Amino acid sequence: MLEVEEIETAWDSLSPYLFVPRTEAEYDRLVEILDELIGEVREDESHPLASLLDIVGTLIEQYEDENVPEPGSLVPPNYENKKIS
């Protein structure tokens, strides 16, 4: 059974380090966190923080896919869905 109270207590401690980036500043913060995790975990897949490293990397990748232009492109990928008026 899901222990929501335990998760909520743990989340208070984790939320400054694990979040979906919605701004460039939040993205930059996640990149800093990822760099620290890489320095700690290195290539040790059994390290207790290895899963967190994967999650933070995935969040960064998702932000980049949605907001960072591909090399040679002048606009971010989600720009096509916006109308110019």
Side-chain angles (χ1 to χ4, degrees):
M1 184 171 182
L2 185 63
E3 300 293 336
V4 175
E5 290 178 9
E6 288 181 37
I7 295 169
E8 186 176 353
T9 300
W11 188 249
D12 287 340
S13 298
L14 289 173
S15 62
Y17 309 101
L18 186 61
F19 51 87
V20 176
R22 303 198 190 289
T23 66
E24 190 170 344
E26 290 175 340
Y27 166 80
D28 291 341
R29 176 68 178 129
L30 271 188
V31 170
E32 291 174 8
I33 292 167
L34 182 68
D35 288 344
E36 291 290 325
L37 287 169
I38 290 170
E40 179 68 29
V41 174
R42 306 222 182 253
E43 295 183 24
D44 181 2
E45 293 180 12
S46 64
H47 191 285
L49 296 175
S51 182
L52 179 59
L53 187 148
D54 289 340
I55 293 167
V56 171
T58 299
L59 291 168
I60 289 170
E61 183 177 19
Q62 180 181 354
Y63 180 89
E64 290 174 344
D65 288 348
E66 294 174 3
N67 296 286
V68 178
E70 292 289 324
S73 174
L74 299 177
V75 295
N78 62 358
Y79 183 80
E80 296 171 1
N81 297 329
K82 297 178 182 176
K83 291 184 177 179
I84 298 174
S85 40

